[in-house]
Amino acid sequence: MKKTAIINVTIVKHDKMIPQGIVICEDSTITACGPMRQIPTPADAEIIDGAGLYCGPGLVDIHTHAGNNTFFTDDPVIAAQDHLQHGTTTVYPALYFSFDSEGYVNAINKMKDAMKDERCRNIAGVYMEGPFLNPKFGCDKENNPWPTVDRAKYMPVIEAARDVACVYAVAPEREGILDYVKDVKKLNPDAVFSVAHSEAAPWDVEALIPYGLKIGTHHTDATGKYHEYPDPEILGVGVDEAVNMNDDIYAELIVDSLGVHVHPYMIRLVRKIKGDDRIILISDAYAAHGKIPEGYDGVDDLNFDETGEIAGSRLTLDKACRNMMNHTGASLVNVFNYAAYNPAAAIGLKDRGEIAPGKRADLILVDAGMNVKRVIHKGETV
């Protein structure tokens, strides 16, 4: 049995910090953590001297398409390694609704194969961003292979994804969506759903809560309004309001440095409404190769297509955490919750997301600005 002791660190817990701390791991499991003055360093342990850095849980990105500007479905090794080097020890590649049935099955199987590759050790499953979204919202609007909720077409997809999908994203206004949700639940009783790319009325979102809807996909991004009255001066309500109103729904946020995906004022408002235990930071990274247009010089966490339009992000979660700190004044405790504890809790990952005895030894050492200095995955330094 391999023992490792990480000493001289400030431990970032779910609700506090422990200065001059020690974290002890045996193989891939945390066995003890706390002040060094109370927990003796095992004589037979490998010592990692944190030299005053902060030790937090490995980050959990439940929603991203790419890493190092490479789609997971094109090269999972490049994408997974990019996220891992930036402290994301658990990642769920997102599969978008532009896949047809065969494309979805092939992509899911490719991710299953990648999960067996040690170089993709942080891939834990997939995020099903589709197939049944509202094609009016999000990128690639013109490519929608799913005009109807067709059971013959979707059953092979959910059968392939049943053991690896962490979230199934849906637009509740799609006709026949409840049949799809029920079929998913039959194959995966613990399935988690999110509302995504949608202009559903709040009550239609709430109708899916009993079936496991507990996340708002990239909150305030690619969502529309339900307008009960035709007067254009009357503000409609919709997905964003439903996510804000229901305390148990987590809000995913894409937090880039310029506040393009979500304006910093909106980020602060969402934080005020949802509280620190219902926010999930995601990278939602995408692969695009357009030229950076004028006015965006020096921006390193946005993507642009060939027309100069924004095409997703180049974020990793450490960068998203830094941006969140800059935009809102959030602390290290807060951002580790947004990027580790909360996403793990939302999808039912009970063995990671925080530093505590019995949890998996996924740890990162960072400085006060959330710059990653060391990554430990299952007790091994990456």
Side-chain angles (χ1 to χ4, degrees):
M1 180 177 292
K2 178 185 176 182
K3 290 185 180 180
T4 305
I6 306 166
I7 64 172
N8 295 324
V9 290
T10 296
I11 302 171
V12 184
K13 297 281 284 181
H14 171 49
D15 56 353
K16 62 183 177 181
M17 292 188 182
I18 301 175
Q20 287 295 304
I22 180 173
V23 180
I24 300 173
C25 309
E26 293 186 4
D27 291 334
S28 62
T29 303
I30 298 170
T31 56
C33 60
M36 291 178 64
R37 67 179 185 276
Q38 296 178 1
I39 300 175
T41 303
D44 56 346
E46 174 192 348
I47 304 299
I48 297 175
D49 190 341
L53 292 171
Y54 296 84
C55 182
L59 307 182
V60 179
D61 193 347
I62 65 171
H63 184 168
T64 188
H65 302 265
N68 197 20
N69 215 23
T70 302
F71 285 117
F72 276 90
T73 48
D74 288 339
D75 194 324
V77 174
I78 289 176
Q81 282 292 311
D82 183 57
H83 285 276
L84 186 60
Q85 294 299 325
H86 286 270
T88 298
T89 53
T90 300
V91 64
Y92 290 85
L95 305 179
Y96 197 46
F97 83 133
S98 53
F99 286 112
D100 62 12
S101 182
E102 182 180 2
Y104 258 121
V105 172
N106 289 339
I108 292 165
N109 288 336
K110 187 169 186 176
M111 293 305 100
K112 288 180 179 179
D113 289 340
M115 291 166 66
K116 302 172 187 175
D117 188 329
E118 179 65 16
R119 297 170 298 174
C120 302
R121 68 185 79 175
N122 53 334
I123 297 179
V126 298
Y127 184 108
M128 296 296 292
E129 194 172 10
F132 299 115
L133 310 180
N134 188 324
K136 289 170 59 176
F137 303 97
C139 67
D140 210 12
K141 302 179 182 66
E142 64 282 352
N143 180 21
N144 178 23
W146 303 90
T148 60
V149 179
D150 186 330
R151 192 171 192 271
K153 291 183 178 180
Y154 73 65
M155 282 305 298
V157 177
I158 62 176
E159 286 170 354
R162 63 188 297 178
D163 297 325
V164 292
C166 71
V167 173
Y168 298 81
V170 298
E173 69 270 26
R174 290 292 300 266
E175 184 177 356
I177 199 66
L178 187 57
D179 293 332
Y180 169 76
V181 168
K182 288 180 177 179
D183 279 335
V184 170
K185 293 292 282 188
K186 288 176 185 176
L187 293 177
N188 182 2
D190 297 324
V192 173
F193 293 91
S194 72
V195 54
H197 297 254
S198 169
E199 58 182 356
W203 38 94
D204 291 328
V205 177
E206 292 168 350
L208 295 183
I209 292 176
Y211 296 92
L213 189 146
K214 59 168 65 176
I215 297 174
T217 291
H218 42 60
H219 186 44
T220 76
D221 266 324
T223 56
K225 300 292 185 183
Y226 168 80
H227 293 276
E228 189 166 3
Y229 305 103
D231 189 336
E233 296 183 0
I234 298 175
L235 182 66
V237 294
V239 171
D240 299 332
E241 288 73 21
V243 172
N244 286 338
M245 175 64 77
N246 287 273
D247 293 342
D248 290 337
I249 297 181
Y250 291 82
E252 292 180 357
L253 291 177
I254 308 169
V255 182
D256 57 69
S257 56
L258 290 184
V260 172
H261 286 90
V262 187
H263 192 280
Y265 193 94
M266 179 62 74
I267 296 170
R268 294 191 289 271
L269 176 60
V270 171
R271 186 182 179 202
K272 182 176 182 178
I273 294 171
K274 298 303 297 180
D276 289 329
D277 61 349
R278 286 296 181 271
I279 288 174
I280 295 174
L281 290 181
I282 60 171
S283 65
D284 202 11
Y286 203 72
H289 305 279
K291 181 181 178 181
I292 297 176
E294 185 177 350
Y296 291 92
D297 295 340
V299 174
D300 63 358
D301 59 4
L302 292 175
N303 256 329
F304 300 88
D305 64 20
E306 297 303 326
T307 69
E309 292 293 321
I310 290 176
S313 89
R314 291 194 186 189
L315 285 166
T316 47
L317 282 191
D318 58 334
K319 176 67 171 176
C321 287
R322 292 194 292 274
N323 293 337
M324 190 72 173
M325 294 166 75
N326 291 337
H327 291 324
T328 71
S331 69
L332 278 177
V333 170
N334 296 143
V335 296
F336 269 109
N337 283 338
Y338 305 152
Y341 185 86
N342 293 352
I347 63 174
L349 280 180
K350 300 183 184 302
D351 66 340
R352 68 199 82 169
E354 64 175 322
I355 298 179
K359 301 293 184 179
R360 201 168 84 175
D362 290 350
L363 304 162
I364 61 175
L365 302 185
V366 303
D367 63 18
M370 197 61 188
N371 297 291
V372 177
K373 304 300 182 180
R374 190 174 191 131
V375 180
I376 297 169
H377 183 261
K378 293 185 178 180
E380 297 287 343
T381 295
V382 173

